[in-house]
Amino acid sequence: LPESEKNRVWRKWFADDTGRLIKKQIQLTSEEQAWIDQNHKIRVRVANWPPFLIIKENDPPQGIAIEYLKLVEERTGLKFEYEMAKQSFAEFLESMKLHQGPDMTPLIAQSPDREQYLSFTTPYISSPYVIFARQQEGVLIDINGLSGKTLAVPKGFVIQQLLEKDYPEIRLVLFENDEQSLLALSSGKVDAYIGNLTVASHLIQKRGLSNLRVVAPAPYGDHVLSMGNRSDWPELTTIVDKALASITEAEKTAIRDKYVAL
């Protein structure tokens, strides 16, 4: 296309459901293309949060989110540099407010507070919030049955803010991540855990926590995740958004099937 045209089109070949090669087009504005041409160093924070992010020593990052990032790279010309998390998620958010941390996170829930310092893509991953307890615990109809009890929650996650506001009668016990939360529940240190069903199921299977079970749905529906980047790079958000929108249902299913055993 002539450089004078307003939109620049990136074309990529991929296989559709029948295996037939077809052409996928992503239209970028001249401003978006100019931003890509500046060859920004895009530092992406990665931390072990399987099956969405899987970190193994001496291996490159893997997981559902990484597969999406690879497709974004292929279809836009962006280049991501993965940085292992050196701080907790809560500390990472504080550094993002000052643009001192990595430039982007591939998995984050949108909230009004975070919108003040982060720019979010359209959500691309979701999984239900559920409540886990030990097998021998009695019937729990809903979250109101946890009044006065202890509930394990990963520190800094949106679910912590929601629970503190909506259910002050529940005693939250904060942990650095979901794995620590589930281990605390399994060992009897807390009464229940609330979190992402996909993540929790993966960790329970991995750690052999056979004494845990889902006892009730959480009151917040699905844990909906976007990609988030520093707010002074709005072009990055729109470029990534267009790439995510180009990913077909067949491609999404292939990614899920690669990492999630249902």
Side-chain angles (χ1 to χ4, degrees), residues 9 18 20 59 68 135 140 158 163 177 219 223 232:
V9 178
T18 65
R20 177 174 58 92
D59 288 337
Y68 277 90
Q135 291 281 6
L140 181 69
V158 163
L163 290 165
N177 52 50
H223 188 190
D232 60 336

Side-chain angles (χ1 to χ4, degrees), residues 131 139-150 167 169-170 191-192 216:
I131 300 171
V139 176
L140 181 69
I141 302 300
D142 57 33
I143 196 170
N144 293 304
L146 294 176
S147 179
K149 295 186 177 182
T150 53
Y167 298 94
E169 67 279 8
I170 297 175
D191 297 310

Side-chain angles (χ1 to χ4, degrees), residues 237-249:
T237 308
T238 59
I239 294 166
V240 173
D241 242 340
K242 289 179 178 180
L244 291 175
S246 76
I247 298 173
T248 66
E249 289 303 317

Side-chain angles (χ1 to χ4, degrees), residues 97-126:
K97 293 179 182 179
L98 303 174
H99 299 161
Q100 293 178 345
D103 307 302
M104 182 177 180
T105 175
L107 295 162
I108 189 167
Q110 193 167 354
S111 71
D113 174 63
R114 293 173 179 176
E115 287 172 355
Q116 298 178 31
Y117 55 91
L118 285 174
S119 180
F120 294 87
T121 66
T122 301
Y124 72 107
I125 288 176
S126 67

Side-chain angles (χ1 to χ4, degrees), residues 52-65:
F52 299 124
L53 287 172
I54 301 171
I55 307 299
K56 295 182 179 179
E57 190 174 358
N58 300 323
D59 288 337
Q62 297 179 318
I64 292 172

Side-chain angles (χ1 to χ4, degrees), residues 76-92:
T76 63
L78 292 171
K79 295 298 179 184
F80 300 123
E81 295 185 12
Y82 299 121
E83 288 191 2
M84 275 295 301
K86 298 178 181 178
Q87 50 193 181
S88 69
F89 191 72
E91 292 170 333
F92 160 70

Side-chain angles (χ1 to χ4, degrees), residues 14 19 31 57 60 77 80 86 95-96 99 118 147 169 178 181 185 198 207-208 234 239:
F14 67 95
E31 291 81 6
E57 190 174 358
F80 300 123
K86 298 178 181 178
S95 68
M96 286 293 280
H99 299 161
L118 285 174
S147 179
E169 67 279 8
D178 291 276
S181 302
L185 174 60
T198 302
R207 297 302 299 260
I239 294 166

Side-chain angles (χ1 to χ4, degrees), residues 144-213:
N144 293 304
L146 294 176
S147 179
K149 295 186 177 182
T150 53
L151 179 63
V153 179
K155 183 180 180 181
F157 283 33
V158 163
I159 193 70
Q160 176 193 346
Q161 302 172 7
L162 295 172
L163 290 165
E164 288 174 342
K165 176 173 66 73
D166 299 335
Y167 298 94
E169 67 279 8
I170 297 175
R171 291 185 289 156
L172 302 186
V173 182
L174 305 181
F175 294 90
E176 289 299 324
N177 52 50
D178 291 276
E179 186 167 6
Q180 289 183 12
S181 302
L182 287 164
L183 289 171
L185 174 60
S186 180
S187 62
K189 295 179 181 177
V190 294
D191 297 310
Y193 154 85
I194 187 170
N196 183 301
L197 175 61
T198 302
V199 172
S201 299
H202 181 94
L203 290 170
I204 287 170
Q205 182 180 26
K206 172 188 172 184
R207 297 302 299 260
L209 305 179
S210 58
N211 65 329
L212 302 184
R213 64 187 177 97

